[in-house]
Amino acid sequence: MRFGMEISRMRVAITLIVILSAVGCAGSSSRSQELRKAGGHAVLRGFFISPMGEPFRSQEPGVDLIGRWFSGADKDSSSGVSLAELEQDAARFFTTLDVNSDGEIDPDEMRRYENEIAPEIRMAGRSGGAGSGRPARIRRGGGTGGRSGEGTRIQRGAGRGGSRVPAGRSPALGILNLPQPVAAADADFNRGVSREEFRRAAGQRFLRLDRNRDASVTLDELAPPGA
């Protein structure tokens, strides 16, 4: 009799645990959805590339990585990033990339960016990238053979044996159509990016982000199309 009562209690306890777990998961999912919609802009799960190519990561679901970058770039907390602030953000990240402090991101430093700082770019290239078009093959020490504007250009000399990067937009990585956002700033195609080139690239990208042309990029303007 006592054994039967113990079995019954155990069944009740297990049932309660299952119910509580289900409620907890539902609450977590609901909260995650709220976080992803926070601020009226899309939150890219797990990984985000800033307009200038800086990676942001999180193991926690629903973390607002776009907002994390934005709050750092918005120095005066005006709820908008100005051209000057984006240029400052670019200069800060350039200093991180320019390891030997010679004023240029050279091929070795570019490989460091791709292999150590933002290896997700190469991984996305190998898989074609989420939402990307047909990947372009990069020849070692060469390029794709065509001169194009920022946003469609593929990096030259992307490491041993070449690499594959998405030719189209990769929304799982960032907002702008930049398969390799640092190399895309190489305006003169000399396989290096100078500080001035990076600053000018920041200006070009600011114009693309400032959709309403009010000289300030807001979080709403950072929402990927269709989000």
Side-chain angles (χ1 to χ4, degrees):
M1 183 71 176
R2 180 177 299 176
F3 180 74
M5 292 178 63
E6 292 294 332
I7 293 295
S8 297
R9 288 175 182 171
M10 288 177 63
R11 287 176 177 172
V12 171
I14 291 172
T15 302
L16 286 174
I17 291 173
V18 170
I19 292 174
L20 290 173
S21 297
V23 171
C25 290
S28 176
S29 176
S30 176
R31 178 57 178 160
S32 178
Q33 290 176 2
E34 291 175 5
L35 286 170
R36 287 198 293 274
K37 294 177 181 177
H41 66 284
V43 176
L44 307 177
R45 295 184 184 182
F47 182 74
F48 168 67
I49 284 280
S50 78
M52 299 312 300
E54 183 175 10
F56 289 81
R57 302 175 181 83
S58 175
Q59 302 260 335
E60 299 295 325
V63 172
D64 187 352
L65 297 178
I66 297 179
R68 181 181 294 177
W69 166 77
F70 185 89
S71 62
D74 181 19
K75 297 298 185 184
D76 59 5
S77 301
S78 63
S79 298
V81 174
S82 67
L83 172 59
E85 287 174 326
L86 187 59
E87 288 178 340
Q88 290 172 15
D89 186 66
R92 175 190 57 78
F93 188 48
F94 183 93
T95 299
T96 300
L97 299 175
D98 184 19
V99 178
N100 59 11
S101 302
D102 67 349
E104 180 170 285
I105 302 169
D106 59 35
D108 287 337
E109 291 164 335
M110 197 72 74
R111 281 189 287 272
R112 172 177 172 267
Y113 170 70
E114 289 187 341
N115 295 327
E116 300 177 24
I117 297 177
E120 292 86 350
I121 288 177
R122 294 177 67 85
M123 292 168 60
R126 293 191 187 100
S127 64
S132 71
R134 182 180 179 184
R137 179 70 180 177
I138 298 177
R139 296 187 301 273
R140 184 181 182 185
T144 58
R147 185 181 181 91
S148 57
E150 187 187 76
T152 56
R153 178 180 174 276
I154 310 298
Q155 185 205 2
R156 297 182 174 187
R160 184 174 184 179
S163 64
R164 296 174 67 84
V165 296
R169 188 174 181 277
S170 185
L173 297 182
I175 298 167
L176 298 175
N177 183 16
L178 299 171
Q180 214 288 26
V182 175
D186 179 13
D188 60 8
F189 295 87
N190 70 344
R191 301 183 65 217
V193 177
S194 69
R195 185 176 290 275
E196 177 59 21
E197 283 179 316
F198 211 54
R199 186 192 68 79
R200 287 200 302 266
Q204 294 167 0
R205 295 173 197 185
F206 180 85
L207 291 176
R208 294 175 60 186
L209 294 170
D210 185 19
R211 299 177 188 175
N212 61 7
R213 297 295 184 263
D214 66 348
S216 178
V217 174
T218 63
L219 281 171
D220 288 341
E221 290 174 300
L222 294 177

